[in-house]
Amino acid sequence: MGEPGAFCPVYAALNLLQEKWTLHIVRALLEGPKGFNELARAVGGVNPATLSQRLEHLVAVGVVEKRVESHMPPRTRYRLTEAGRELEAVIAAIEGWARRHLRAPVA
């Protein structure tokens, strides 16, 4: 925990990763680069404004890279940076924990 006001990497990471849709976006991009609409379909249920906001933040913190391809009309592709790809271990740990401790909902 440390001193009040001191940087805590766990606190900072949890603040980033707890934002709604963030881990869903990372998980979808682990499959490979995607355009905005393709990513929206892969994540499912996120509105475009929220997806755009989350992607902008993930680009700003260095988890996602945005590439505008020079086609007409211009196409934007998103892919994980090395930092983003390292989150695969986090997602795998969450999945392993969930498989051991959570049950599928009964329909």
Side-chain angles (χ1 to χ4, degrees), residues 1-36:
M1 296 274 172
E3 300 175 29
F7 176 74
C8 176
V10 173
Y11 183 85
L14 288 175
N15 273 346
L16 172 66
L17 299 177
Q18 61 112 15
E19 289 181 350
K20 190 169 184 180
W21 303 109
T22 295
L23 284 175
H24 296 285
I25 293 166
V26 170
R27 187 171 181 227
L29 289 175
L30 283 168
E31 298 171 1
K34 293 186 176 4
F36 186 87

Side-chain angles (χ1 to χ4, degrees), residues 16 55-65 79-85 87:
L16 172 66
L55 286 168
E56 192 174 297
H57 188 220
L58 290 170
V59 168
V61 298
V63 172
V64 171
E65 177 182 279
R79 70 179 189 157
L80 294 174
T81 63
E82 182 62 32
R85 286 189 298 277
L87 288 170

Side-chain angles (χ1 to χ4, degrees), residues 45-91:
V46 61
N47 74 50
T50 300
L51 179 58
S52 180
Q53 181 184 46
R54 292 296 180 269
L55 286 168
E56 192 174 297
H57 188 220
L58 290 170
V59 168
V61 298
V63 172
V64 171
E65 177 182 279
K66 176 182 177 177
R67 180 173 295 169
V68 179
E69 297 176 352
S70 58
H71 295 86
M72 286 310 283
R75 290 180 41 109
T76 303
R77 308 261 313 150
Y78 296 91
R79 70 179 189 157
L80 294 174
T81 63
E82 182 62 32
R85 286 189 298 277
E86 286 182 24
L87 288 170
E88 184 170 14
V90 173
I91 291 170

